Every structure is written in structure tokens, then in C-alpha cells.
């Protein structure tokens, strides 16, 4: 498999963690989101992913998968062990809800495209953009903190789908200097994940294109 990725891409980070947790290897092809206006907009990458977003996963037969939730679901279905989702349907729903808060409600609002639109098209100054980022990440993580468990990882003694989504979002929160003192459960999960080899290997600082 080949993963089209960028070291600081939150969505790519999720897929890197999922691959590592399942013990899967993928060759990395780096797509710089800033250089030359963003390599994701180039014809060669658009031919793979018409949306021009990361990540994309190329399977051995050349099939291209896009969108991190769909890629992670594919990995879970094809490589079910170790499982990222619990067996109990109610718990599966709770785990997916946390993943959805992060993937649908938090991350899209601080992605490269909307931030560029705020700055360049709408003309917002940097303090206004920072306030936007802090507001939506802060509110979203406060909800996540209330929904995850009181011990272990997000939902138990082993990391799962919620942790796969949470750690990249925590990385983004720290990057944008969003206060997290009011999220003790998230901070606990962060400490556990920071000691886990799969999360360590997937961390942005460990990637070949890290700057």
C-alpha cells in the first residue's frame, strides 16, 4: 500500500495511527500542503483524488481510497485484528460519536482550506482567525472530554477508533495553543498514547517530510 500524506495533516495522522495499531506498513508519498501553493492542487495528485485533499491510500492493485473515515473503515473491515471498535453495538455507537465530533465538527473548521478562505478571501486578521480556531477546537474538545471514560484510553484499556481521532486533534490544539486544562480526561488519554509505540511512530515529528 502507498499512503499519500503530509506530516502535519490531521487526517493523514489518523490513518498513520490506524495502520500502526494494526501492524500494517504503507510506503509514504509526501504531498506538501503549502509549497508552491499546495501540491495537493497539482494535476498529478488531482488525478488520484479529484477533491485535492489528504490522505489517499493506494492499494496494491492500484485502487485509490480517499477520506480518512472511509480509509480507516476499510482497514478495520479487511484487517479486523486488533479491532478499533468494540463488539457491543451501543459502545460502537459511542466510539463513533466521539470520532464524528472530531472528524465532522472540529477538524473541518481549522483545516487549511477554510483558514485560507478566512485570511485571503474574507480578509480576516490573524487574531480573528486565532479566535475562530480556539473557539471551535475548545468547544469540541470540551464535549469529547465529557463523553469519554474516566480511566484508560478513551473507551477502555486498549486504544481504539476514538483515540485514533483524538490524538491528532490534540496535536492540532497544542499547535494552535488552545487551552486544555479543563479537559483532564483528554490529557490522561494523551499521556497514555504518547507512551504507545503506534502513536509514537505516527507522530508528525517522526515523518520523513517533517519540517
Amino acid at each position: 500500500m502507498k499512503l499519500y500524506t503530509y506530516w502535519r495533516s490531521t487526517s493523514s495522522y489518523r490513518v498513520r495511527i490506524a495502520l500502526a495499531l494494526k501492524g500494517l506498513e504503507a510506503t509514504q508519498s509526501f504531498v506538501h500542503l503549502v509549497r508552491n501553493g499546495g501540491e495537493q492542487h497539482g494535476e498529478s495528485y488531482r488525478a488520484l483524488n479529484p477533491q485535492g485533499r489528504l490522505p489517499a491510500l493506494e492499494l496494491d492493485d492500484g485502487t485509490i481510497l480517499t477520506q480518512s473515515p472511509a480509509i480507516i473503515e476499510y482497514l478495520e473491515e479487511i484487517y479486523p485484528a486488533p479491532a478499533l471498535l468494540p463488539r457491543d453495538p451501543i459502545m460502537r455507537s459511542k466510539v463513533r460519536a466521539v470520532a464524528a465530533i472530531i472528524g465532522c465538527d472540529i477538524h473541518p473548521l481549522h483545516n487549511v482550506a477554510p483558514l485560507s478562505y478566512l485570511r485571503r478571501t474574507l480578509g480576516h486578521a490573524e487574531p480573528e482567525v486565532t479566535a475562530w480556531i480556539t473557539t471551535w477546537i475548545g468547544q469540541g474538545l470540551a464535549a469529547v472530554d465529557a463523553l469519554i471514560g474516566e480511566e484508560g484510553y478513551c473507551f477502555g484499556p486498549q486504544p481504539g477508533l476514538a483515540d485514533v481521532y483524538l490524538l491528532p486533534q490534540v496535536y492540532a490544539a497544542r499547535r494552535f495553543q488552545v487551552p486544555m486544562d479543563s479537559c483532564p480526561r483528554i490529557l490522561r488519554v494523551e499521556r497514555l498514547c504518547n507512551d504507545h509505540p503506534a502513536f509514537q511512530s505516527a507522530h508528525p515529528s517522526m515523518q520523513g517530510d517533517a519540517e
Side-chain angles (χ1 to χ4, degrees):
M1 293 184 289
K2 179 188 291 185
L3 178 65
Y4 293 85
T5 180
Y6 177 62
W7 69 286
R8 209 162 59 182
S9 160
T10 305
S11 298
S12 300
Y13 190 179
R14 292 176 200 150
V15 174
R16 294 197 303 262
I17 295 171
L19 287 165
L21 284 172
K22 290 184 175 293
L24 300 172
E25 293 186 4
T27 302
Q28 293 196 0
S29 181
F30 303 122
V31 181
H32 202 290
L33 295 183
V34 180
R35 184 185 299 133
N36 299 322
E39 294 176 351
Q40 72 274 22
H41 302 305
E43 290 185 10
S44 60
Y45 187 70
R46 286 275 186 170
L48 296 173
N49 182 0
Q51 191 186 19
R53 297 286 178 90
L54 290 175
L57 184 67
E58 183 175 349
L59 306 183
D60 292 341
D61 65 358
T63 299
I64 302 294
L65 304 180
T66 62
Q67 288 292 328
S68 62
I71 293 171
I72 294 170
E73 286 179 14
Y74 167 83
L75 295 175
E76 180 74 349
E77 291 170 358
I78 302 300
Y79 307 99
L84 298 180
L85 285 164
R87 291 187 177 183
D88 179 73
I90 291 178
M91 287 307 301
R92 289 168 78 93
S93 180
K94 290 179 179 292
V95 169
R96 284 177 167 141
V98 167
I101 289 172
I102 295 168
C104 302
D105 296 340
I106 305 176
H107 172 243
L109 295 176
H110 68 77
N111 208 352
V112 172
L115 295 187
S116 296
Y117 190 83
L118 286 173
R119 292 178 176 116
R120 299 172 186 174
T121 305
L122 299 182
H124 286 287
E126 205 58 34
E128 294 174 311
V129 175
T130 298
W132 168 279
I133 294 169
T134 301
T135 296
W136 299 120
I137 293 181
Q139 288 185 10
L141 289 184
V144 169
D145 195 74
L147 290 170
I148 63 177
E150 296 183 358
E151 58 183 18
Y153 292 91
C154 285
F155 290 98
Q158 300 298 325
L161 184 68
D163 308 280
V164 166
Y165 274 76
L166 179 58
L167 259 289
Q169 189 57 62
V170 170
Y171 173 82
R174 296 203 177 281
R175 174 188 167 200
F176 293 118
Q177 300 181 335
V178 178
M180 296 183 60
D181 293 343
S182 62
C183 298
R185 295 179 179 179
I186 289 177
L187 295 178
R188 180 202 74 236
V189 173
E190 181 190 25
R191 289 192 294 270
L192 287 173
C193 290
N194 284 342
D195 290 334
H196 193 294
F199 290 85
Q200 292 172 347
S201 65
H203 192 274
S205 65
M206 300 300 294
Q207 306 314 302
D209 60 335
E211 298 173 1

